[in-house]
Amino acid sequence: MDWIELTIKTNHAGSEAVSAILLETGVISGVSIEDPMDILDRSTSQWDYVDEKALNTDKNTVTVKAYISVHEDAQNIINSIKDKLTETKQYMDIGEGSLSINNVKETDWSENWKQYYKPVEIGERVIIKPTWENIDAPDGKIVIEMDPGMAFGTGTHETTRMCVDLLQKYKVQNKKVLDLGTGSGILGITAVKLGAKSCLGVDIDKNAVKTANENARINNISDSFNAIYGNLTDVVTGKFDIVTANIIADAICMLNQTVAQFLANDGVYITSGIINTRVEDVKNSLAENGFKIIEECFDDDWVAIVSQKNI
């Protein structure tokens, strides 16, 4: 399949805002952030090998890439992104903020960003690694193998790291998990490998559902993890002990209106993907919909919130 590659040059501080623009514009497949500082910060301590091409670049320039199908309403999406970039530049520094467009094939995209995706340790027990990397995991560590394909979710972003850490903290053993906006399936697969009884992943992107189920197969947990396509209230029934939603603030606020009916009375609701400028909106929405906040986590400009139902 052919794709249109959208490349935005920004800075470290602006990468979150640019990513939010892409997601809010409707680009829900294949968003990647190429930040040289991620390589420089971790290359000596966490990664056995780093592609030199990833180091020979301006460390102050962050490249955010998004991929849309040639069959989508591409021109309207591109125009909307241009308008939002211009608007954002008026109130914050996002660096160059330029947008360039290129036609690529899926295989070209896959090879292009692999230099930025290396094994990463999260918390006390979890190592997330791409399928093409080989590592010797220490005793007691759980290895999650991921091939994101064109879906979002590699484990390197702050929002995902916080969620994985929280899944370890809130003891998923023998629990039923619901992962909303499952993307590559990274959170649901992690939950199952940490001991969850089962996990149901839900996404409105058919490509993400395909990728998540393939990643479950790679990790030998297809009997405990299943991803399905559709909206929450249309395709899900029953109660879950843990619900995760690592998406964006607006989508979380919408979910808050209905998610309580799927959460057990003593269940835990983990939300992330919340940029710090929107955290009060999410907290207010949780309160309005009958949730009490039990923990907030912060990593750079991102926030994760853990809540439970008021009963």
Side-chain angles (χ1 to χ4, degrees):
M1 176 183 292
D2 290 337
W3 296 82
I4 298 172
E5 178 185 69
L6 310 176
T7 301
I8 301 173
K9 296 292 184 180
T10 182
N11 52 28
H12 183 73
S15 61
E16 292 87 358
V18 170
S19 299
I21 286 172
L22 292 169
L23 293 169
E24 290 172 358
T25 307
V27 181
I28 57 177
S29 298
V31 177
S32 66
I33 301 174
E34 300 173 1
D35 189 340
M37 291 307 298
D38 287 340
I39 303 288
L40 296 172
D41 288 345
R42 298 176 189 165
S43 59
T44 57
S45 60
Q46 295 186 22
W47 293 344
D48 295 327
Y49 166 79
V50 176
D51 191 326
E52 290 296 325
K53 291 184 294 183
L55 297 175
N56 297 329
T57 186
D58 179 4
K59 67 179 182 180
N60 296 314
T61 299
V62 177
T63 302
V64 180
K65 293 186 177 182
Y67 297 83
I68 56 178
S69 166
V70 294
H71 301 297
E72 294 179 19
D73 190 8
Q75 193 56 56
N76 285 337
I77 292 175
I78 291 168
N79 290 339
S80 180
I81 291 170
K82 287 180 178 178
D83 291 343
K84 288 182 179 294
L85 285 172
T86 300
E87 179 183 345
T88 303
K89 286 180 182 180
Q90 296 177 4
Y91 63 84
M92 73 175 294
D93 178 15
I94 60 170
E96 185 178 329
S98 62
L99 171 65
S100 59
I101 300 167
N102 186 37
N103 290 324
V104 298
K105 294 188 179 296
E106 186 167 344
T107 53
D108 297 332
W109 175 87
S110 299
E111 293 302 318
N112 185 46
W113 62 267
K114 282 183 179 180
Q115 61 185 315
Y116 287 93
Y117 184 20
K118 301 295 177 180
V120 58
E121 290 193 43
I122 305 177
E124 296 181 355
R125 299 183 60 196
V126 174
I127 298 175
I128 296 174
K129 78 172 192 70
T131 54
W132 54 88
E133 291 282 332
N134 294 315
I135 62 170
D136 294 322
D139 290 343
K141 297 287 187 178
I142 296 171
V143 177
I144 316 294
E145 293 197 70
M146 299 299 297
D147 186 351
M150 297 297 290
F152 181 82
T154 63
T156 60
H157 196 273
E158 293 91 337
T159 61
T160 309
R161 293 201 304 264
M162 285 189 289
C163 286
V164 171
D165 210 20
L166 288 166
L167 285 171
Q168 295 173 79
K169 178 176 181 178
Y170 284 92
K171 309 299 182 186
V172 299
Q173 287 85 352
N174 298 315
K175 293 181 179 178
K176 291 178 61 180
V177 178
L178 176 63
D179 182 26
L180 302 175
T182 195
S184 65
I186 189 168
L187 296 184
I189 292 168
T190 298
V192 170
K193 296 201 78 169
L194 284 169
K197 181 179 180 180
S198 64
C199 179
L200 177 64
V202 182
D203 209 294
I204 58 173
D205 177 9
K206 290 182 178 179
N207 184 72
V209 170
K210 178 181 177 182
T211 299
N213 284 323
E214 175 60 17
N215 281 325
R217 186 195 63 77
I218 291 170
N219 285 275
N220 299 311
I221 61 161
S222 295
D223 57 338
S224 301
F225 174 90
N226 182 43
I228 59 176
Y229 168 77
N231 292 304
L232 171 62
T233 55
D234 295 333
V235 297
V236 177
T237 58
K239 300 280 188 179
F240 297 83
D241 304 298
I242 295 177
V243 177
T244 58
N246 181 24
I247 34 182
I248 59 174
D250 286 336
I252 290 170
C253 290
M254 290 182 62
L255 283 175
N256 292 344
Q257 300 173 27
T258 56
V259 73
Q261 63 185 289
F262 302 98
L263 185 65
N265 286 341
D266 58 349
V268 174
Y269 181 32
I270 299 172
T271 55
S272 189
I274 308 164
I275 198 164
N276 56 14
T277 55
R278 298 296 310 279
V279 66
E280 291 303 318
D281 294 335
V282 175
K283 289 168 68 173
N284 290 337
S285 171
L286 286 165
E288 290 168 1
N289 289 284
F291 289 93
K292 60 181 178 181
I293 295 171
I294 58 177
E295 183 175 0
E296 295 178 60
C297 301
F298 304 86
D299 191 340
D300 201 0
D301 294 325
W302 297 93
V303 182
I305 300 174
V306 183
S307 58
Q308 289 182 306
K309 293 195 295 188
N310 277 313
I311 54 175

